[in-house]
């Protein structure tokens, strides 16, 4: 998949690498239809310095060209940082013993790099945040002019049905709800690749074992990372099966037909208490008593992923990463 002119799609990934962010980076650097112009890092799965280190290591192991990587927000806009080390390990990369990178980060911060790369791109850029949206919110508030050269935002985050950080909130949105609300209402076309689809794309154990046995470092790394991804209940019997997680959001940029979406009103709950960080997706066929009595609330229209062709994305992921 390329854009309408047959050229690779310019993309920037904003991530909190992160086992599945690493899977997303591996895919992005190996897909010929994508032109990964920069990677920006934000606190999330682990602290921001750990994210920078992990991101540089992954790009190096993948044999990626010298793509600029910048350090971004160390803290959410309001909340404290709350890592997901219980899922991603002490080093944020599954503690699989990856070497320290020899590459260095850019000497500018993430917001500066985002602005520079977006405005310098000859074609509008697709932003792919796979992390809390702190960097993106800071960018949109600091340099709102960038929206003129953003094609769309495809973010991993939110949930239509069930959360993971809380019963109703997904981690990336829960970690920085205000930032998510800013991104959703920026007036840029936005696709939500939420938990409902994120959790379903699982690579079978036999494929993971083949990747792990590969002599090619990038493919082997993908296998090691996948085997670290916790199996969902559906594949519990297949202990090495692993979800591609954030990489699914990148797959949707290459292959939009792999997901079924609907343009729906979405609001991020900013209220303190049990709903904080929930993405409230309005799937009602008609307005209800609330709208009749008190008027329509201002909500962003978001292209929400409701279904995913699992076999299609697994195949796309494997063929891309294995070359
Ligand atoms: C999201 O949270 C992180 O743990 C993953 O990298 C993914 O971006 C899922 O809720
Ligand atoms: Ca992530």
């Amino acid at each position: 998949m390329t854009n309408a002119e047959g050229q690779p799609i310019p993309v920037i990934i904003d991530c909190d690498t992160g086992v599945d962010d690493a899977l997303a980076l591996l895919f992005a650097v190996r897909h010929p239809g994508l032109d990964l112009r920069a990677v920006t890092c934000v606190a999330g799965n682990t602290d921001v310095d750990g994210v920078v280190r992990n991101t540089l290591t992954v790009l190096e192991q993948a044999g990626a060209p010298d793509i600029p990587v910048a350090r971004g927000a160390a803290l959410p806009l309001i909340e404290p940082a709350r890592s997901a080390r219980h899922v991603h390990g002490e080093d944020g990369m599954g503690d699989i013993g990856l070497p320290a990178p020899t590459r260095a980060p850019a000497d500018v911060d993430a917001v500066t790099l985002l602005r520079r790369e977006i405005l310098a791109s000859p074609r509008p850029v697709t932003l792919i945040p796979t992390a809390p949206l702190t960097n993106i919110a800071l960018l949109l508030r600091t340099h709102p002019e960038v929206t003129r050269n953003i094609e769309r935002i495809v973010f991993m985050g939110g949930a239509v049905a069930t959360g993971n950080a809380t019963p109703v909130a997904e981690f990336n949105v829960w970690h920085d709800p205000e930032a998510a609300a800013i991104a959703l209402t920026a007036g840029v076309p936005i696709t939500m690749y939420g938990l409902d689809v994120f959790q379903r794309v699982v690579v079978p154990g036999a494929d993971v074992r083949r990747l792990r046995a590969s002599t090619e470092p990038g493919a082997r790394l993908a296998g090691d990372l996948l085997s670290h991804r916790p199996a969902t209940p559906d594949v519990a019997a297949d202990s090495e099966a692993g979800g591609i997680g954030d990489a699914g959001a990148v797959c949707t940029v290459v292959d939009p037909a792999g997901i079924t979406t609907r343009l729906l009103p979405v609001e991020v709950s900013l209220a303190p208490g049990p709903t904080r960080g929930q993405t409230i997706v309005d799937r009602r066929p008609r307005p209800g008593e609330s709208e009749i009595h008190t008027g329509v609330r201002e909500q962003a229209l978001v292209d929400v992923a409701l279904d995913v062709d699992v076999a299609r994305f697994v195949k796309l992921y494997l063929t891309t990463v294995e070359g």
Side-chain angles (χ1 to χ4, degrees), residues 105-285:
D107 57 6
V108 292
D109 64 87
V111 169
T112 305
L113 183 67
L114 282 161
R115 177 184 181 274
R116 189 176 85 191
E117 292 297 328
I118 291 168
L119 294 182
S121 174
R123 284 167 292 119
V125 171
T126 297
L127 282 186
I128 315 177
T130 60
L133 290 136
T134 321
N135 286 343
I136 305 303
L138 291 169
L139 169 74
L140 292 166
R141 284 296 201 247
T142 315
H143 305 292
E145 72 276 13
V146 294
T147 58
R148 71 166 186 260
N149 210 30
I150 298 177
E151 177 78 22
R152 62 184 183 127
I153 297 174
V154 177
F155 80 105
M156 187 287 129
V160 180
T162 310
N164 55 2
T166 78
V168 295
E170 181 279 330
F171 176 79
N172 289 340
V173 174
W174 170 83
H175 199 259
D176 195 340
E178 281 72 21
I182 289 170
L184 253 56
T185 54
V188 176
I190 185 158
T191 299
M192 176 172 129
Y193 185 84
L195 276 184
D196 320 86
V197 283
F198 168 97
Q199 287 170 330
R200 290 182 45 209
V201 187
V202 175
V203 177
D207 295 305
V208 176
R209 285 188 282 280
R210 188 184 64 252
L211 286 170
R212 294 189 80 184
S214 172
T215 51
E216 195 282 305
R220 198 167 56 242
L221 176 58
D224 289 345
L225 293 167
L226 282 164
S227 73
H228 183 83
R229 295 286 301 161
T232 67
D234 299 352
V235 290
D238 188 358
S239 64
E240 278 196 272
I244 68 169
D246 287 339
V250 191
C251 289
T252 73
V253 175
V254 173
D255 182 17
I259 54 169
T260 306
T261 63
R262 245 175 88 195
L263 203 57
L264 293 166
V266 178
E267 189 173 0
V268 179
S269 171
L270 301 178
T275 67
R276 184 159 167 78
Q278 179 180 12
T279 44
I280 301 165
V281 180
D282 190 352
R283 300 178 72 183
R284 295 173 299 169

Side-chain angles (χ1 to χ4, degrees), residues 16 21 45 130 246:
D16 61 342
D21 305 77
N45 289 324
T130 60
D246 287 339

Side-chain angles (χ1 to χ4, degrees), residues 42-104:
V42 66
N45 289 324
T46 191
D47 61 280
V48 70
D49 291 316
V51 173
V52 172
R53 181 198 61 226
N54 293 341
T55 300
L56 291 167
T57 294
V58 171
L59 293 176
E60 202 166 306
Q61 297 290 315
D66 197 12
I67 296 163
V69 173
R71 180 186 191 275
L75 291 168
L77 298 183
I78 292 178
E79 297 285 353
R82 294 165 291 183
S83 78
R85 288 202 179 93
H86 65 292
V87 177
H88 295 264
E90 274 311 303
D91 68 356
M93 282 283 283
D95 299 321
I96 58 175
L98 285 173
T102 60
R103 299 183 182 197

